[in-house]
Amino acid sequence: MAKPVYVLNGPNLNRLGTREPQIYGRTTLPEVELLCRAAAGDGKLEFRQTNSESQFVDWIHEAIDHGSGLIVNPAAFTFTSMAIMDALKMFPGPIIELHISNIHRRGPLYEKSLVSGVATAVIAGLGVNGYPIAVRAMRDLVGQA
Ligand code: CA2
């Protein structure tokens, strides 16, 4: 049976659509999940969000054992978490790092992603449309297109 693609979202993204619409838009995370499922077609998808770093690491471990590809928006953990970076290094398949905003034009605090160096590809600045684009790209990368 085909393995799922994991889409993991980090802290505060459960509040997407409720504030800073000029940066993040008005689409909610459940709506983003629907966009991803439409892009996945009949491909299996595990779409999740957590505010906990340890939960995020545990889900990467689950994806290492059961997933074909990994799409991560680690949110603020992008810039702080060696634990997430180390876990991602163990993932044997393709990894897409995804950000709704362009982290490279948001000032010094947001400049240095710990994740980009272990990712296969990076998508940033396309708004929530980056999610279905990432899912389609991942289908190509894992050969399910
Ligand atoms: O642009 C992205 O996707 C980010 O990963 C979002 C993070 C930010 O720390 C990264 O630099 C870029 C912040 C997520 C905050 O979640 C929101 C909550 C409510 C409304 C909008 C976003």
Side-chain angles (χ1 to χ4, degrees), residues 10-21 23-25 73-79 98-103 106 109-110 124-125 131:
N12 298 308
L13 285 165
N14 54 318
R15 307 285 296 166
L16 198 63
T18 66
R19 67 170 172 87
E20 297 183 276
I23 301 176
Y24 299 108
N73 183 349
F77 295 150
T78 307
F79 314 98
L98 168 66
H99 299 283
I100 298 165
S101 62
N102 181 354
I103 57 173
R106 297 192 57 192
L109 275 179
Y110 294 90
Y131 280 84

Side-chain angles (χ1 to χ4, degrees), residues 4-133:
V5 168
Y6 281 70
V7 184
L8 302 183
N9 294 283
N12 298 308
L13 285 165
N14 54 318
R15 307 285 296 166
L16 198 63
T18 66
R19 67 170 172 87
E20 297 183 276
Q22 70 285 2
I23 301 176
Y24 299 108
R26 295 193 186 277
T27 309
T28 64
L29 200 62
E31 290 166 342
V32 172
E33 178 173 357
L34 290 177
L35 295 174
C36 288
R37 294 203 177 279
D42 53 11
K44 286 209 286 182
L45 209 67
E46 289 289 339
F47 188 98
R48 300 183 188 170
Q49 186 275 333
T50 181
N51 295 322
S52 151
E53 184 177 11
S54 77
Q55 178 68 86
F56 205 103
V57 170
D58 285 344
W59 284 343
I60 295 170
H61 292 174
E62 183 185 317
I64 289 166
D65 293 334
H66 302 292
S68 58
L70 194 44
I71 298 168
V72 289
N73 183 349
F77 295 150
T78 307
F79 314 98
T80 62
S81 180
M82 304 268 294
I84 287 174
M85 182 187 74
D86 285 344
L88 289 172
K89 279 184 192 163
M90 294 188 275
F91 187 73
I95 299 170
I96 299 179
E97 176 188 0
L98 168 66
H99 299 283
I100 298 165
S101 62
N102 181 354
I103 57 173
H104 301 292
R105 55 183 291 183
R106 297 192 57 192
L109 275 179
Y110 294 90
E111 253 157 33
K112 185 65 198 122
S113 165
L114 296 174
V115 174
S116 298
V118 298
T120 310
V122 181
I123 296 174
L126 294 177
V128 295
N129 285 337
Y131 280 84
I133 289 169

